[in-house]
Amino acid sequence: MKIPPVKGTRDFYPPEMAVRNWMIDGWKKVSVRNGFEEYDGPIFEYLKMFQIKSGDEIVEQLFSLQDRGGRDLAIRPEITPTLARMVNQQINSLPRPIKWFSVPRLCRAERPQKGRLREFFQWNIDIIGVDSSVADAELIFTTIDYLRMVGLTPKDIQIRISSRKLLAAVLLSVGISEDDLDVLYALLDKKTKLPAETFEQMLLEKVGEQAKADEISSFMAVASIDEIGQAVTMDSDIERAVVELETVFASLAVMGVAEYCVFDPSIVRGLAYYTGIVFEVHGATGELRAIAGGGRYDNLLRDFGGPAISATGMGMGDCVLELLLREKGLLDSQLGKRRLDYFVTFADKLFGGTMYEVAAELRSRGYSANFSYKLGGLSKQLKEASAQNAAKCIIIGQEFAESNQLAIKDMTTGEQELVDYGAFLSGLEPRDT
RNA sequence: GUGAAAGUAGCUCAGUCGGUUAGAGCACCAGAUUGUGGAUCUGGGGGUCGCGGGUUCGAAUCCCGUCUUUCACCCCA
């Protein structure tokens, strides 16, 4: 009986695995060089853990299960709750600031579509315990640091930055009540996805008065931080939020990534989760969904039963990123093919035993080496070496019997030289084994 | 969860009006080639035509259901 792969999952054959490893290696490298330390948690948690922050809709999109002891568990759809739990558990002994990263495998039971599967990998970086917006800027910088490293330019991608604090202050000054903020966030978040007229209409329905709707609309249409003063009536809360945004942009300019960044008041982010700076990374064409998103969520630890310590974080999934990199031709160009250091061959069956010995010597010195399992002629063996993309071939033939010499053939140039076996081994650069 | 389109070899696809033993290219394997690879030529293996049911003398082809994929919604932690 043939069993198909499960809906929304991927099989990673060697070529796909190479892509995945390359991507994850890049994430880890950039995290480490930006001063983050890696952590991870279990792949499942108590179901309750994921119900704290979120409503029933999210719970419906969880893969949940019951263990034999009747415990309700769920496969993690995100790692942030685990992070909160882990940090809370040791909050008194952890040196601050806490700069941690992780590349968890996550599962969400959503309907699969372009750039969204049911199982995926997500790079997460978080800074906990730093109130200053420098932490937000650093998070954004680290995100760009990776995207820039893999070859994406400001022409390809844009970091759109806004502030929940600013938006809240504006909405309150317009006369929206505190209780209605969350509902409005959800609507404003859709602004770019809906036709302009539909959006205006829905906004008017939500706020009731045309004057309020107009003021919100004019704020949402602001193209730069400087224009905020013209669109809305400033008050001290708005002023503070604006200053914070300006600080973030100034920091990013100093770090040399200003070209990637743009202020965009239509960046709101879905749920009532964020409390300060929010941002999303989008492809310039805007055809794909967001590549990454993040922001400040100062209530996170408290919501999970810990102290009120501030936090800011970013998540980047592998699916959309891969689509974008493929589109830009940045994947094949950077991805190294499988490369074998040596392929060991014999010109006479007499030397079959020596072939194993030479391969074993190379391997024990940290070099990758293969040989053919078939007892074919040299021609066949070299063909196999080519198929495995071997850098060099070692040919063991009559010269070995006569004077202990190996023929080393460079598979790129086709040139070949005779070397003494012992000299060859002692001449190898030491490698990590 | 809603709607639309698609599904034939490992991959990309052809397959006439419903008619005999379902084809091609690429990939794979082998030979040409027992001291020199990538190329070429020749040959070979590989199919429950997604699955189940129906109509028919006869179904890859028509009908229904179902699964999967893709796209658009919902949602996006």
Side-chain angles (χ1 to χ4, degrees):
Chain A
M1 184 167 65
K2 257 189 201 167
I3 298 173
V6 174
K7 184 192 186 98
T9 63
R10 287 171 288 180
D11 290 329
F12 292 89
Y13 288 85
E16 289 83 34
M17 195 66 203
V19 171
R20 173 176 141 193
N21 280 334
W22 170 81
M23 198 178 279
I24 290 176
D25 287 349
W27 284 342
K28 290 187 175 182
K29 183 177 167 184
V30 167
S31 300
V32 169
R33 78 184 183 199
N34 279 272
F36 291 81
E37 290 181 285
E38 187 167 9
Y39 72 97
D40 198 359
I43 199 151
F44 45 62
E45 294 271 5
Y46 284 107
L47 178 62
K48 263 185 254 169
M49 180 109 160
F50 302 114
Q51 294 173 318
I52 290 178
K53 286 190 320 189
S54 28
D56 293 337
E57 298 135 22
I58 286 169
V59 175
E60 275 172 25
Q61 295 189 338
L62 282 173
F63 283 101
S64 53
L65 61 140
Q66 209 171 47
D67 72 6
R68 293 218 220 171
R71 282 173 279 261
D72 287 312
L73 308 176
I75 299 175
R76 60 189 181 190
E78 57 171 335
I79 200 171
T80 310
T82 302
L83 171 69
R85 180 171 61 74
M86 287 169 64
V87 171
N88 276 340
Q89 269 169 192
Q90 301 194 359
I91 190 67
N92 292 327
S93 64
L94 288 171
R96 307 215 199 138
I98 296 162
K99 288 177 69 174
W100 283 3
F101 81 94
S102 194
V103 185
R105 184 175 201 140
L106 307 175
C107 293
R108 298 176 187 175
E110 295 174 295
R111 188 118 179 198
Q113 52 185 281
K114 194 173 189 183
R116 192 164 72 182
L117 297 169
R118 289 185 160 191
E119 185 194 42
F120 56 97
F121 295 85
Q122 191 182 66
W123 178 34
N124 284 79
I125 53 178
D126 291 271
I127 301 177
I128 296 169
V130 181
D131 294 336
S132 161
S133 60
V134 176
D136 301 283
E138 200 179 14
L139 213 59
I140 294 170
F141 173 80
T142 304
T143 305
I144 299 171
D145 192 24
Y146 172 77
L147 296 169
R148 188 170 58 175
M149 183 180 80
V150 296
L152 292 165
T153 69
K155 282 178 191 160
D156 303 317
I157 50 160
Q158 228 178 22
I159 322 297
R160 300 186 191 154
I161 303 166
S162 188
S163 161
R164 268 292 178 84
K165 229 180 268 176
L166 173 64
L167 182 58
V170 168
L171 293 176
L172 290 173
S173 83
V174 166
I176 305 298
S177 78
E178 191 115 22
D179 298 338
D180 293 337
L181 288 183
D182 288 355
V183 187
L184 259 181
Y185 289 152
L187 173 62
L188 297 181
D189 188 47
K190 292 195 180 76
K191 190 197 173 220
T192 51
K193 294 164 197 160
L194 293 170
E197 283 171 29
T198 316
F199 174 76
E200 297 293 340
Q201 206 173 344
M202 289 175 77
L203 181 60
L204 181 58
E205 274 172 39
K206 278 263 154 57
V207 300
E209 295 168 36
Q210 188 67 52
K212 287 182 183 177
D214 287 347
E215 200 165 348
I216 294 170
S217 285
S218 70
F219 168 72
M220 295 292 282
V222 157
S224 76
I225 297 177
D226 302 335
E227 291 171 25
I228 294 171
Q230 294 152 31
V232 299
T233 323
M234 297 294 275
D235 63 27
S236 61
D237 284 343
I238 298 178
E239 187 64 45
R240 259 196 301 279
V242 166
V243 168
E244 188 183 55
L245 263 175
E246 282 171 341
T247 310
V248 168
F249 276 94
S251 305
L252 290 167
V254 169
M255 293 174 180
V257 293
E259 274 186 296
Y260 283 91
C261 304
V262 62
F263 169 67
D264 183 347
S266 69
I267 296 300
V268 180
R269 306 284 293 154
L271 273 133
Y273 187 77
Y274 294 97
T275 55
I277 298 293
V278 284
F279 63 93
E280 285 179 7
V281 183
H282 288 267
T285 56
E287 281 162 18
L288 299 170
R289 59 185 69 244
I291 298 154
R296 185 163 278 276
Y297 42 101
D298 282 340
N299 301 325
L300 179 76
L301 295 198
R302 204 193 56 202
D303 291 346
F304 285 89
I309 290 173
S310 63
T312 180
M314 186 285 299
M316 180 186 296
D318 66 325
C319 300
V320 179
L321 178 64
E322 184 177 338
L323 286 173
L324 182 73
L325 291 174
R326 231 176 254 290
E327 209 173 83
K328 302 283 174 191
L330 291 167
L331 214 47
D332 294 333
S333 60
Q334 295 180 81
L335 209 56
K337 275 191 207 153
R338 171 192 184 181
R339 193 156 173 88
L340 196 65
D341 296 322
Y342 289 98
F343 196 93
V344 189
T345 67
F346 58 77
D348 190 303
K349 281 177 189 143
L350 198 63
F351 306 112
T354 315
M355 177 176 81
Y356 306 142
E357 182 196 316
V358 172
E361 285 287 349
L362 285 164
R363 289 169 175 175
S364 69
R365 284 168 165 77
Y367 289 81
S368 57
N370 261 348
F371 49 81
S372 177
Y373 294 129
K374 284 168 266 184
L375 295 173
L378 182 59
S379 167
K380 286 274 158 58
Q381 298 176 68
L382 288 172
K383 197 169 188 147
E384 206 172 328
S386 282
Q388 294 188 19
N389 199 27
K392 289 178 177 176
C393 270
I394 292 177
I395 302 163
I396 308 166
Q398 208 49 43
E399 304 88 350
F400 186 77
E402 287 161 6
S403 55
N404 211 40
Q405 282 182 313
L406 302 172
I408 314 287
K409 181 181 176 71
D410 186 305
M411 295 299 278
T412 315
T413 64
E415 284 165 18
Q416 132 180 6
E417 55 176 351
L418 284 170
V419 252
D420 178 75
Y421 182 29
F424 169 71
L425 288 182
S426 57
L428 288 171
E429 298 275 328
R431 278 204 185 172
D432 292 338
T433 48

PDB file of all heavy atoms in Angstrom, chain A residues 409-425:
ATOM      1  N   LYS A 409      44.606  12.929  -9.710  1.00  0.00           N
ATOM      2  CA  LYS A 409      44.042  13.597 -10.887  1.00  0.00           C
ATOM      3  C   LYS A 409      43.109  14.706 -10.436  1.00  0.00           C
ATOM      4  O   LYS A 409      42.161  14.480  -9.668  1.00  0.00           O
ATOM      5  CB  LYS A 409      43.275  12.579 -11.732  1.00  0.00           C
ATOM      6  CG  LYS A 409      42.674  13.154 -12.999  1.00  0.00           C
ATOM      7  CD  LYS A 409      41.912  12.053 -13.741  1.00  0.00           C
ATOM      8  CE  LYS A 409      41.210  12.563 -14.974  1.00  0.00           C
ATOM      9  NZ  LYS A 409      42.129  12.909 -16.077  1.00  0.00           N
ATOM     10  N   ASP A 410      43.385  15.908 -10.904  1.00  0.00           N
ATOM     11  CA  ASP A 410      42.513  17.049 -10.626  1.00  0.00           C
ATOM     12  C   ASP A 410      41.336  16.995 -11.602  1.00  0.00           C
ATOM     13  O   ASP A 410      41.519  17.067 -12.811  1.00  0.00           O
ATOM     14  CB  ASP A 410      43.290  18.356 -10.801  1.00  0.00           C
ATOM     15  CG  ASP A 410      42.452  19.562 -10.389  1.00  0.00           C
ATOM     16  OD1 ASP A 410      41.338  19.707 -10.924  1.00  0.00           O
ATOM     17  OD2 ASP A 410      42.916  20.348  -9.547  1.00  0.00           O
ATOM     18  N   MET A 411      40.135  16.866 -11.084  1.00  0.00           N
ATOM     19  CA  MET A 411      38.979  16.631 -11.940  1.00  0.00           C
ATOM     20  C   MET A 411      38.483  17.896 -12.644  1.00  0.00           C
ATOM     21  O   MET A 411      37.669  17.823 -13.560  1.00  0.00           O
ATOM     22  CB  MET A 411      37.844  15.997 -11.132  1.00  0.00           C
ATOM     23  CG  MET A 411      38.191  14.617 -10.611  1.00  0.00           C
ATOM     24  SD  MET A 411      38.550  13.445 -11.930  1.00  0.00           S
ATOM     25  CE  MET A 411      36.891  12.950 -12.394  1.00  0.00           C
ATOM     26  N   THR A 412      38.950  19.045 -12.187  1.00  0.00           N
ATOM     27  CA  THR A 412      38.547  20.285 -12.854  1.00  0.00           C
ATOM     28  C   THR A 412      39.427  20.547 -14.069  1.00  0.00           C
ATOM     29  O   THR A 412      38.946  20.807 -15.165  1.00  0.00           O
ATOM     30  CB  THR A 412      38.649  21.479 -11.883  1.00  0.00           C
ATOM     31  OG1 THR A 412      38.078  21.089 -10.641  1.00  0.00           O
ATOM     32  CG2 THR A 412      37.910  22.689 -12.433  1.00  0.00           C
ATOM     33  N   THR A 413      40.760  20.449 -13.856  1.00  0.00           N
ATOM     34  CA  THR A 413      41.693  20.734 -14.950  1.00  0.00           C
ATOM     35  C   THR A 413      41.985  19.485 -15.771  1.00  0.00           C
ATOM     36  O   THR A 413      42.420  19.587 -16.923  1.00  0.00           O
ATOM     37  CB  THR A 413      43.028  21.263 -14.392  1.00  0.00           C
ATOM     38  OG1 THR A 413      43.626  20.219 -13.603  1.00  0.00           O
ATOM     39  CG2 THR A 413      42.820  22.481 -13.521  1.00  0.00           C
ATOM     40  N   GLY A 414      41.794  18.314 -15.187  1.00  0.00           N
ATOM     41  CA  GLY A 414      42.112  17.076 -15.880  1.00  0.00           C
ATOM     42  C   GLY A 414      43.570  16.684 -15.734  1.00  0.00           C
ATOM     43  O   GLY A 414      43.988  15.625 -16.184  1.00  0.00           O
ATOM     44  N   GLU A 415      44.366  17.564 -15.091  1.00  0.00           N
ATOM     45  CA  GLU A 415      45.800  17.263 -14.930  1.00  0.00           C
ATOM     46  C   GLU A 415      46.014  16.230 -13.833  1.00  0.00           C
ATOM     47  O   GLU A 415      45.220  16.131 -12.910  1.00  0.00           O
ATOM     48  CB  GLU A 415      46.564  18.546 -14.578  1.00  0.00           C
ATOM     49  CG  GLU A 415      46.758  19.446 -15.782  1.00  0.00           C
ATOM     50  CD  GLU A 415      47.166  20.852 -15.370  1.00  0.00           C
ATOM     51  OE1 GLU A 415      47.619  21.027 -14.225  1.00  0.00           O
ATOM     52  OE2 GLU A 415      47.024  21.761 -16.195  1.00  0.00           O
ATOM     53  N   GLN A 416      47.136  15.533 -13.968  1.00  0.00           N
ATOM     54  CA  GLN A 416      47.382  14.464 -13.014  1.00  0.00           C
ATOM     55  C   GLN A 416      48.873  14.334 -12.758  1.00  0.00           C
ATOM     56  O   GLN A 416      49.695  14.601 -13.625  1.00  0.00           O
ATOM     57  CB  GLN A 416      46.705  13.213 -13.570  1.00  0.00           C
ATOM     58  CG  GLN A 416      47.459  11.963 -13.603  1.00  0.00           C
ATOM     59  CD  GLN A 416      46.594  10.845 -14.208  1.00  0.00           C
ATOM     60  OE1 GLN A 416      45.480  11.056 -14.695  1.00  0.00           O
ATOM     61  NE2 GLN A 416      47.110   9.652 -14.188  1.00  0.00           N
ATOM     62  N   GLU A 417      49.208  14.012 -11.481  1.00  0.00           N
ATOM     63  CA  GLU A 417      50.630  13.887 -11.148  1.00  0.00           C
ATOM     64  C   GLU A 417      50.847  12.664 -10.276  1.00  0.00           C
ATOM     65  O   GLU A 417      49.927  12.203  -9.597  1.00  0.00           O
ATOM     66  CB  GLU A 417      51.108  15.150 -10.423  1.00  0.00           C
ATOM     67  CG  GLU A 417      50.286  15.480  -9.189  1.00  0.00           C
ATOM     68  CD  GLU A 417      50.819  16.680  -8.409  1.00  0.00           C
ATOM     69  OE1 GLU A 417      51.920  17.138  -8.735  1.00  0.00           O
ATOM     70  OE2 GLU A 417      50.136  17.112  -7.476  1.00  0.00           O
ATOM     71  N   LEU A 418      52.070  12.167 -10.297  1.00  0.00           N
ATOM     72  CA  LEU A 418      52.430  11.014  -9.481  1.00  0.00           C
ATOM     73  C   LEU A 418      53.070  11.497  -8.184  1.00  0.00           C
ATOM     74  O   LEU A 418      53.946  12.347  -8.200  1.00  0.00           O
ATOM     75  CB  LEU A 418      53.419  10.123 -10.235  1.00  0.00           C
ATOM     76  CG  LEU A 418      52.825   9.240 -11.344  1.00  0.00           C
ATOM     77  CD1 LEU A 418      53.942   8.607 -12.158  1.00  0.00           C
ATOM     78  CD2 LEU A 418      51.915   8.169 -10.740  1.00  0.00           C
ATOM     79  N   VAL A 419      52.579  10.974  -7.044  1.00  0.00           N
ATOM     80  CA  VAL A 419      53.184  11.322  -5.747  1.00  0.00           C
ATOM     81  C   VAL A 419      53.385  10.076  -4.923  1.00  0.00           C
ATOM     82  O   VAL A 419      52.606   9.137  -5.015  1.00  0.00           O
ATOM     83  CB  VAL A 419      52.267  12.271  -4.908  1.00  0.00           C
ATOM     84  CG1 VAL A 419      52.826  13.661  -4.848  1.00  0.00           C
ATOM     85  CG2 VAL A 419      50.848  12.269  -5.416  1.00  0.00           C
ATOM     86  N   ASP A 420      54.423  10.155  -4.113  1.00  0.00           N
ATOM     87  CA  ASP A 420      54.696   9.065  -3.185  1.00  0.00           C
ATOM     88  C   ASP A 420      53.564   8.986  -2.165  1.00  0.00           C
ATOM     89  O   ASP A 420      53.113  10.013  -1.646  1.00  0.00           O
ATOM     90  CB  ASP A 420      56.040   9.323  -2.470  1.00  0.00           C
ATOM     91  CG  ASP A 420      56.339   8.230  -1.468  1.00  0.00           C
ATOM     92  OD1 ASP A 420      56.725   7.123  -1.890  1.00  0.00           O
ATOM     93  OD2 ASP A 420      56.151   8.482  -0.256  1.00  0.00           O
ATOM     94  N   TYR A 421      53.080   7.778  -1.881  1.00  0.00           N
ATOM     95  CA  TYR A 421      51.938   7.594  -0.986  1.00  0.00           C
ATOM     96  C   TYR A 421      52.174   8.239   0.375  1.00  0.00           C
ATOM     97  O   TYR A 421      51.361   9.023   0.864  1.00  0.00           O
ATOM     98  CB  TYR A 421      51.662   6.087  -0.845  1.00  0.00           C
ATOM     99  CG  TYR A 421      50.477   5.731   0.013  1.00  0.00           C
ATOM    100  CD1 TYR A 421      49.387   6.584   0.142  1.00  0.00           C
ATOM    101  CD2 TYR A 421      50.437   4.505   0.695  1.00  0.00           C
ATOM    102  CE1 TYR A 421      48.303   6.237   0.920  1.00  0.00           C
ATOM    103  CE2 TYR A 421      49.347   4.148   1.477  1.00  0.00           C
ATOM    104  CZ  TYR A 421      48.275   5.025   1.599  1.00  0.00           C
ATOM    105  OH  TYR A 421      47.208   4.677   2.368  1.00  0.00           O
ATOM    106  N   GLY A 422      53.340   7.928   0.977  1.00  0.00           N
ATOM    107  CA  GLY A 422      53.653   8.478   2.300  1.00  0.00           C
ATOM    108  C   GLY A 422      53.736   9.991   2.266  1.00  0.00           C
ATOM    109  O   GLY A 422      53.193  10.671   3.146  1.00  0.00           O
ATOM    110  N   ALA A 423      54.361  10.522   1.224  1.00  0.00           N
ATOM    111  CA  ALA A 423      54.502  11.979   1.108  1.00  0.00           C
ATOM    112  C   ALA A 423      53.141  12.621   0.923  1.00  0.00           C
ATOM    113  O   ALA A 423      52.865  13.701   1.452  1.00  0.00           O
ATOM    114  CB  ALA A 423      55.411  12.325  -0.072  1.00  0.00           C
ATOM    115  N   PHE A 424      52.275  11.934   0.193  1.00  0.00           N
ATOM    116  CA  PHE A 424      50.929  12.455  -0.024  1.00  0.00           C
ATOM    117  C   PHE A 424      50.166  12.593   1.290  1.00  0.00           C
ATOM    118  O   PHE A 424      49.600  13.638   1.591  1.00  0.00           O
ATOM    119  CB  PHE A 424      50.172  11.543  -0.990  1.00  0.00           C
ATOM    120  CG  PHE A 424      48.702  11.828  -1.075  1.00  0.00           C
ATOM    121  CD1 PHE A 424      48.239  12.989  -1.693  1.00  0.00           C
ATOM    122  CD2 PHE A 424      47.759  10.954  -0.522  1.00  0.00           C
ATOM    123  CE1 PHE A 424      46.881  13.262  -1.769  1.00  0.00           C
ATOM    124  CE2 PHE A 424      46.411  11.219  -0.590  1.00  0.00           C
ATOM    125  CZ  PHE A 424      45.967  12.376  -1.216  1.00  0.00           C
ATOM    126  N   LEU A 425      50.228  11.534   2.080  1.00  0.00           N
ATOM    127  CA  LEU A 425      49.500  11.558   3.356  1.00  0.00           C
ATOM    128  C   LEU A 425      50.063  12.617   4.292  1.00  0.00           C
ATOM    129  O   LEU A 425      49.314  13.382   4.904  1.00  0.00           O
ATOM    130  CB  LEU A 425      49.561  10.184   4.031  1.00  0.00           C
ATOM    131  CG  LEU A 425      48.720   9.069   3.396  1.00  0.00           C
ATOM    132  CD1 LEU A 425      48.859   7.794   4.217  1.00  0.00           C
ATOM    133  CD2 LEU A 425      47.254   9.474   3.301  1.00  0.00           C
TER     134      LEU A 425
END
